[in-house]
Amino acid sequence: MKIAPVEDLFTIFNETATIMQEELQCTYLEALAETGENLFHESILQDELSELTVKRLKKSYESVNLSDYTKEEIRKSFQLSILKGMKENVQPNHQMTPDAVGMLIGYLVDKFVRETSFRLLDPAVGTGNLLTTVMNHQKDKTVEATGIEIDDLLIKLAYINANLQEHPIQFFNQDSLEPLFIEAADAAVSDLPIGYYPNDVRSAEYKLKADEGHSYSHHLFIEQSINHVKPGGYLFFIIPNGMFESEQAPKLHEYLKENAYIQGLLQLPLTMFKNEKAAKSIFILQKKGEGVTPPKQALLVNLPSLSKTTEVEKILKKIDAWYKESKQ
Ligand code: SAM
């Protein structure tokens, strides 16, 4: 039995990424993508490496057998390596979704989505951390997924992450607000990019476009996700707390009233964020469709610090009770 599987696997990712970073003269994240690819293919794919480096890498790779690790252990160790790389090169809109939030969304998806086999969409998939966390938390269900991401390096990390965890995810490297040629999903999860979308020509195609100036990309992402989820499908978004107070909020309200039922709003603890302005919530919607009825009342929760286990358990019980009362 392994005593510290996540740390052990992190050490392999970290050591081999550092070796490659030096030799290939690239960033740590680029090197991490290369080493992840090697581990998955069980061979060294870069031909510009010196003999000595190849030997050192081989020795490291041979000391590990991925099938000895669970999907969550692989995800967590890869996540630790990505976090290390992101510290080296900070980009505010690239932040990975924190583990505790991913797990909570995983729990919610498992609760709301009753199909035993379903397709999940994440239109801002980033490193794939949120999407694969959610997939790993579906009990006895078969999940296939679609992930879309505009950033080349992040999507590369996401696809390696998915390969290492053996998840069937189809990836598209594109702007999610451009037309999408994807299969309709049964549900969507997304930690939305927040801010203005610069492409006004494209925004003009959306009902949630701003009447003047740039539109909010998080609003357009909500509309685009609803467009690509089947009627009755659930959507779980991480949104900024101020979303319903902006000057564009009335339009959003009106659009949501027409197209979806608000199921819940769970405010994440303020302690997770740098300041109140940066704070976020989990927003749950159900797309309207034939036979789909609104919940008796929406689930409104102020989440406690997610490290306080007993308080989190109380909240989960509250969510269970709400679900029984309002949805069944
Ligand atoms: N959940 C992701 C994870 O666990 O790594 C993090 C998502 S991050 C908060 C938002 C992501 O949206 C970023 O990776 C960013 O590159 C991506 N993004 C921003 N605008 C986009 C667009 N127009 N189309 C596709 N992806 C976009």
Side-chain angles (χ1 to χ4, degrees):
M1 206 185 78
K2 294 191 179 56
I3 297 169
V6 174
E7 287 78 359
D8 291 350
L9 199 51
F10 165 72
T11 306
I12 304 278
F13 283 132
N14 185 40
E15 276 175 6
T16 54
T18 309
I19 295 173
M20 289 231 244
Q21 179 183 13
E22 273 167 28
E23 183 133 350
L24 298 173
Q25 297 280 305
C26 60
T27 65
Y28 181 89
L29 284 180
E30 284 163 344
L32 180 63
E34 295 295 326
T35 199
E37 190 86 312
N38 287 351
L39 258 173
F40 176 67
H41 288 285
E42 294 180 354
S43 80
I44 294 175
L45 302 165
Q46 305 72 23
D47 23 275
E48 60 271 53
L49 299 173
S50 71
E51 224 174 279
L52 180 66
T53 301
V54 170
K55 239 191 198 161
R56 286 171 72 196
L57 290 175
K58 262 197 182 144
K59 197 167 163 226
S60 263
Y61 295 150
E62 277 163 13
S63 71
V64 58
N65 189 355
L66 282 177
S67 56
D68 292 345
Y69 295 86
T70 65
K71 292 185 196 314
E72 272 297 88
E73 286 164 356
I74 297 174
R75 183 190 63 78
K76 284 183 183 163
S77 50
F78 201 61
Q79 170 188 243
L80 285 178
S81 319
I82 296 175
L83 281 174
K84 181 175 170 185
M86 285 186 163
K87 269 198 195 138
E88 184 187 274
N89 198 346
V90 182
Q91 297 205 30
N93 226 349
H94 281 178
Q95 270 161 22
M96 243 190 312
T97 308
D99 239 19
V101 179
M103 288 181 198
L104 184 61
I105 296 186
Y107 169 86
L108 292 168
V109 171
D110 191 40
K111 178 129 230 88
F112 280 78
V113 182
R114 302 317 305 158
E115 293 99 327
T116 49
S117 168
F118 66 96
R119 176 166 282 276
L120 198 53
L121 164 70
D122 184 346
V125 74
T127 61
N129 195 47
L130 170 66
L131 181 60
T132 58
T133 307
V134 171
M135 291 173 91
N136 290 343
H137 284 81
Q138 303 311 299
K139 293 189 211 103
D140 304 318
K141 292 182 186 170
T142 315
V143 191
E144 290 191 18
T146 307
I148 312 168
E149 170 59 51
I150 200 162
D151 185 280
D152 303 6
L153 177 58
L154 293 184
I155 201 162
K156 194 165 175 198
L157 289 166
Y159 124 91
I160 290 159
N161 209 352
N163 274 346
L164 293 171
Q165 297 180 57
E166 300 186 332
H167 278 309
I169 307 179
Q170 253 189 322
F171 287 103
F172 295 85
N173 186 191
Q174 69 159 93
D175 177 346
S176 293
L177 301 173
E178 292 285 345
L180 299 177
F181 300 98
I182 58 170
E183 220 178 293
D186 300 287
V189 292
S190 202
D191 186 353
L192 299 178
I194 296 164
Y196 290 109
Y197 181 56
N199 185 344
D200 293 336
V201 176
R202 187 66 212 139
S203 313
E205 303 295 318
Y206 288 85
K207 295 193 182 107
L208 286 175
K209 68 170 187 292
D211 294 330
E212 265 174 48
H214 292 325
S215 308
Y216 280 132
S217 54
H218 44 295
H219 291 198
L220 305 184
F221 262 79
I222 291 178
E223 182 174 340
Q224 181 73 317
S225 306
I226 290 179
N227 287 343
H228 290 277
V229 162
K230 294 177 193 164
Y234 288 99
L235 304 103
F236 305 79
F237 296 115
I238 300 171
I239 59 155
N241 281 359
M243 189 169 83
F244 293 108
E245 281 139 36
S246 83
E247 76 290 353
Q248 292 182 34
K251 224 176 174 175
L252 178 64
H253 269 298
E254 201 182 310
Y255 168 84
L256 288 175
K257 225 162 126 190
E258 252 175 55
N259 296 284
Y261 291 121
I262 295 180
Q263 301 284 318
L265 190 63
L266 290 73
Q267 204 174 102
L268 290 164
L270 291 179
T271 47
M272 278 185 72
F273 304 94
K274 264 189 267 144
N275 54 53
E276 228 180 295
K277 265 190 148 172
K280 295 183 184 179
S281 296
I282 300 173
F283 186 41
I284 314 172
L285 293 171
Q286 185 176 26
K287 180 171 173 169
K288 284 192 178 175
E290 232 182 80
V292 180
T293 51
K296 286 184 201 135
Q297 55 183 40
L299 171 69
L300 298 176
V301 170
N302 272 334
L303 290 163
S305 161
L306 299 179
S307 55
K308 291 188 180 148
T309 339
T310 27
E311 288 191 36
V312 171
E313 269 167 22
K314 264 193 227 155
I315 291 286
L316 295 186
K317 279 201 184 122
K318 187 174 165 184
I319 296 175
D320 278 346
W322 171 85
Y323 190 87
K324 280 197 191 109
E325 173 65 21
S326 299
K327 300 279 300 166
Q328 286 174 344

